[in-house]
Amino acid sequence: MSVISVEHLSKEYQIAKKEKGLRGAVKNLFVARKTIVRAVNDISFSIEKGEIVGFIGPNGAGKSTTVKMMSGILTPSSGHVYVNGTDPQKERIKVVQDLGVVFGQRTQLNWDLRMGESFEMLKHIYRIDSGLYEENMAMMNEILGINEFLDTPARQLSLGQRMRGDLVAAMLHSPSVLFLDEPTIGLDVDGKYAIRKFIKEMNRKKQTTIILTTHDLGDIQELCERLIIINHGIIMEDGPLEELIDRIAPYKNLVVEYFDENAVEHEKAIILSHVGNMVTYRFQKADLTAAQLIHDISAQMRIKDVTIEEAKIDDIIRIAYGGKENGEKE
Amino acid sequence: MLAYRFDVFASIVFQCIVMFATSFFWKALYSNSDTVMGVGVQEMLTYTIISALMSIFLTTKVEDRVIESVRQGSVAMDMMKPINLFGIYFAEDLGYLTSLLFQNAIPIIVIGSLFITIPRPASWYHFLAFLGSFLMSFFINWFLSAIFAMWAFSILNMNPLVQAKRHIIRLLSGSIVPIWFFPSWLAKILNCLPFVYIYQLPLDLYIGKGTPASMLPRLAIQFAWLMILAAAFAILQKRVLRKVMVQGG
Ligand SMILES: Nc1ncnc2c1ncn2[C@@H]1O[C@H](COP(=O)(O)OP(=O)(O)OP(=O)(O)O)[C@@H](O)[C@H]1O
Ligand SMILES: [Mg+2]
């Protein structure tokens, strides 16, 4: 059974169109004109135990909306979500008992309580037994180093400290599913590193199923075995990153520096550019390997240096989002 | 911390001003008569102090809490917890009341006893009846507030309505002027609304106005209101949670 299954899920938001000015204000009282935004449009997917899935897409694509529906805090306009076989709309409490969520832009730590007190409160809310609580705190402190801020009220924490606190808060009760909505937003290099390490460890140690939305390419490359790409509320791609790269950019470039301006041609590679001693070849990964190409060329002419260029991940992502293909490496 | 301390101090001062102003008003009114509508000045002063005390225990945060968390979208975080959403708000209100007990209620009763009168109940029986009735008032008031708060899930700017509701309750519940001073047609209408069962009835019991026989039907009506509001709360809660709007992404 899938840990999460999403079936034909849609969400429409109604937005009251307001008219400007005093006249508009009076008018708004009587006729509320509404426009409908279809934020999520008939999406379906399922996620198995222990997967780390990157749920990515441009701003306004519908990621947060989907995550909210999967956590049972937003009612879908149509379609279904099942988390561990349970519909969060019908049995929210049962679902959230086994769910951890971090919304990078919000906090579940109580603003006025010390961070440690917020954790204590969660311990009671989720009825976490003391043994498990201590064990989880110790393990998470090892990666996130939160012990030093336990006595600081949440409102005095920096963004990165707060985010670490929120991750701990989400995982204290050892949920089997973790939703992370932009968990690395605004963090420095150390912060991102710690959080990525945390995500990997949780996934490895506890088989936690993790769904992650992010705009950070590093997160995507380091964490996500599988990507679900959404844009305009529609799923554009669903598969491993490598597969996506292979499909969108099934080629590599080889830049060869010769000793003079003469260059060798190759039947399975095209020459993209030839400037002075520098020649850029492009070959299809399916036809040829870089090693073979270098071997073939150097058999005919002496070469000084080579560089292998792969398609840039951000270009791939941009193309997958449905952007133009002009981001290619020339 | 300083801001909090000032808040607490300001609220005590404000409550004292209302209490003193009302008691001066009653003293002036009673200056040339011993009893009005069968109530003496002593009872009226007791009424004033107990009403001030009750108003402390009838402060609810639930509306502000819901309005704020819906507006800022933090209601999402509340709904992520494996507990009833309004259960959270109720628990928070109880916690808040506990702090008010020490911060406001004790100062008010001490100041009232020292400078106005010692607010003695009519008898021990009356005191017990008051406690029972006040417990029901507390829940009537909380359910009313919670039902109001539910509107905040669909109306984004609820603050004016909440303010209006608070003033209406204060005026129409007999908390400042007992409704037996109101014109009888108005008193009749008010007796059909839930508000008088928040302040007036427990206060009447405390000062011993009315016979036990006349009190029992009123207690029954109070209980009926409690049940009606509890049922409305339960039904609305289900509906409201289904269409929660979570703002911001
Ligand atoms: N409460 C709301 N009311 C009306 N429209 C909304 C609401 N929340 C989101 N939307 C709209 O729904 C669409 C999807 O929003 P959503 O927050 O899901 O995007 P997202 O993929 O999370 O974007 P981002 O990467 O910027 O966080 C947007 O067009 C947004 O304007
Ligand atoms: Mg978002």
Side-chain angles (χ1 to χ4, degrees):
Chain A
M1 188 188 68
S2 303
V3 172
I4 293 165
S5 72
V6 167
E7 297 166 5
H8 302 290
L9 191 66
S10 297
K11 178 71 193 180
E12 284 176 351
Y13 288 112
Q14 285 199 340
I15 299 173
K17 255 234 170 117
K18 293 210 171 130
E19 295 193 28
K20 282 189 210 132
L22 183 61
R23 239 171 122 198
V26 175
K27 227 169 150 188
N28 289 335
L29 281 179
F30 299 102
V31 273
R33 289 207 301 151
K34 287 191 172 159
T35 46
I36 288 178
V37 176
R38 217 174 161 80
V40 173
N41 193 353
D42 192 24
I43 64 171
S44 303
F45 57 83
S46 63
I47 291 170
E48 305 303 319
K49 184 161 181 57
E51 275 193 284
I52 303 184
V53 176
F55 193 57
I56 62 172
N59 291 130
K63 304 179 294 292
S64 298
T65 303
T66 308
V67 170
K68 284 175 195 162
M69 287 191 284
M70 291 195 293
S71 8
I73 59 180
L74 192 66
T75 312
S77 305
S78 62
H80 292 281
V81 174
Y82 299 97
V83 178
N84 290 317
T86 310
D87 182 348
Q89 294 305 316
K90 298 212 177 88
E91 294 175 77
R92 176 183 67 86
I93 289 181
K94 186 177 166 204
V95 168
V96 297
Q97 178 70 42
D98 196 22
L99 189 68
V101 180
V102 174
F103 289 107
Q105 325 216 15
R106 309 187 189 297
T107 182
Q108 63 167 314
L109 304 174
N110 189 312
W111 223 228
D112 296 318
L113 296 183
R114 280 172 285 173
M115 190 149 99
E117 291 174 327
S118 280
F119 295 156
E120 287 286 334
M121 199 161 87
L122 291 171
K123 181 183 168 204
H124 292 291
I125 290 175
Y126 287 94
R127 299 172 210 273
I128 309 168
D129 76 61
S130 297
L132 181 67
Y133 178 81
E134 295 302 332
E135 185 188 313
N136 279 347
M137 283 296 280
M139 179 184 67
M140 294 196 272
N141 176 53
E142 207 167 287
I143 307 171
L144 296 173
I146 41 141
N147 275 3
E148 35 180 323
F149 335 115
L150 283 183
D151 287 332
T152 314
R155 68 192 133 81
Q156 290 171 9
L157 294 172
S158 80
L159 177 66
Q161 295 164 346
R162 199 219 79 204
M163 200 77 92
R164 289 166 207 233
D166 262 304
L167 277 170
V168 171
M171 286 300 292
L172 264 183
H173 57 294
S174 296
S176 70
V177 180
L178 180 62
F179 292 151
L180 303 169
D181 194 356
E182 306 195 39
T184 55
I185 189 168
L187 297 194
D188 68 10
V189 191
D190 271 348
K192 282 185 182 172
Y193 175 81
I195 284 178
R196 285 177 195 154
K197 186 167 168 205
F198 177 82
I199 294 171
K200 280 191 236 170
E201 285 285 292
M202 288 301 129
N203 175 255
R204 196 176 55 81
K205 283 204 181 125
K206 307 207 161 199
Q207 280 288 297
T208 312
T209 307
I210 297 170
I211 297 191
L212 167 81
T213 85
T214 183
H215 292 293
D216 188 291
L217 296 172
D219 291 349
I220 295 173
Q221 274 176 296
E222 279 192 41
L223 298 172
C224 307
E225 295 137 14
R226 172 180 165 197
L227 292 182
I228 296 179
I229 298 182
I230 180 172
N231 196 5
H232 303 301
I234 297 169
I235 292 184
M236 316 283 289
E237 300 281 348
D238 182 350
L241 180 60
E242 293 77 47
E243 219 171 73
L244 196 67
I245 297 173
D246 283 349
R247 196 153 41 72
I248 292 178
Y251 50 78
K252 282 185 186 173
N253 293 346
L254 182 76
V255 184
V256 179
E257 189 182 346
Y258 291 102
F259 282 95
D260 56 41
E261 294 192 6
N262 294 321
V264 176
E265 302 215 347
H266 193 282
E267 52 166 353
K268 285 180 180 162
I270 54 167
I271 292 179
L272 281 185
S273 72
H274 185 170
V275 182
N277 296 355
M278 306 289 288
V279 179
T280 307
Y281 297 90
R282 169 169 293 180
F283 59 96
Q284 303 294 315
K285 285 188 257 186
D287 298 349
L288 195 63
T289 63
Q292 187 65 43
L293 181 58
I294 295 168
H295 174 263
D296 292 352
I297 294 173
S298 57
Q300 295 182 45
M301 197 175 288
R302 252 167 28 96
I303 57 180
K304 195 173 173 184
D305 197 9
V306 290
T307 321
I308 299 169
E309 286 180 344
E310 304 215 34
K312 269 201 203 149
I313 193 95
D314 53 347
D315 292 330
I316 304 244
I317 299 291
R318 206 163 66 231
I319 293 163
Y321 284 181
K324 302 248 162 48
E325 202 140 340
N326 57 14
E328 274 185 45
K329 194 74 206 153
E330 57 280 284
Chain B
M1 273 334 266
L2 211 63
Y4 289 135
R5 228 174 284 164
F6 180 75
D7 264 6
V8 170
F9 186 69
S11 71
I12 295 174
V13 169
F14 176 75
Q15 281 154 353
C16 283
I17 289 174
V18 172
M19 186 169 72
F20 278 108
T22 323
S23 65
F24 289 142
F25 170 78
W26 292 123
K27 279 182 188 156
L29 196 81
Y30 276 90
S31 59
N32 42 20
S33 53
D34 286 346
T35 65
V36 180
M37 317 283 277
V39 177
V41 67
Q42 190 56 39
E43 276 94 27
M44 221 44 244
L45 295 178
T46 300
Y47 190 104
T48 304
I49 297 173
I50 297 300
S51 173
L53 211 56
M54 284 170 70
S55 76
I56 293 169
F57 289 102
L58 295 171
T59 346
T60 51
K61 283 271 194 198
V62 57
E63 297 115 320
D64 299 334
R65 176 70 159 78
V66 174
I67 290 170
E68 254 330 271
S69 58
V70 168
R71 215 169 52 79
Q72 297 183 348
S74 57
V75 65
M77 299 325 310
D78 299 334
M79 290 189 69
M80 293 312 312
K81 308 271 156 63
I83 29 179
N84 176 296
L85 190 64
F86 281 89
I88 301 179
Y89 303 148
F90 185 68
E92 285 179 0
D93 268 346
L94 285 187
Y96 180 61
L97 283 188
T98 316
S99 71
L100 287 184
L101 174 66
F102 295 101
Q103 286 170 359
N104 294 45
I106 291 176
I108 286 279
I109 196 148
V110 169
I111 292 170
S113 304
L114 285 180
F115 299 103
I116 300 173
T117 186
I118 295 175
R120 268 186 257 278
S123 74
W124 276 107
Y125 295 113
H126 285 91
F127 183 69
L128 287 179
F130 162 81
L131 280 187
S133 175
F134 184 43
L135 192 66
M136 288 199 271
S137 321
F138 175 79
F139 281 99
I140 289 179
N141 183 60
W142 197 83
F143 284 134
L144 261 180
S145 302
I147 289 169
F148 245 75
M150 286 177 192
W151 278 6
F153 286 106
S154 40
I155 304 176
L156 278 186
N157 189 4
M158 267 290 289
N159 273 321
L161 275 172
V162 168
Q163 291 308 328
K165 176 213 137 217
R166 282 185 188 153
H167 292 303
I168 286 175
I169 289 189
R170 288 290 278 182
L171 286 177
L172 301 186
S173 64
S175 81
I176 297 169
V177 179
I179 59 157
W180 66 73
F181 285 109
F182 286 31
S184 70
W185 62 270
L186 186 56
K188 268 188 198 132
I189 296 176
L190 290 179
N191 274 325
C192 301
L193 298 176
F195 310 120
V196 290
Y197 302 98
I198 299 178
Y199 279 95
Q200 180 83 64
L201 177 58
L203 283 167
D204 283 359
L205 288 167
Y206 194 91
I207 63 167
K209 183 170 191 328
T211 56
S214 70
M215 282 304 170
L216 276 176
R218 291 178 69 196
L219 279 167
I221 300 177
Q222 186 185 31
F223 184 73
W225 269 117
L226 177 62
M227 289 298 121
I228 291 170
L229 289 168
F233 168 80
I235 295 166
L236 286 172
Q237 168 178 246
K238 263 200 181 150
R239 277 222 247 144
V240 146
L241 292 184
R242 244 183 286 138
K243 54 169 196 182
V244 166
M245 290 196 299
V246 176
Q247 302 295 315

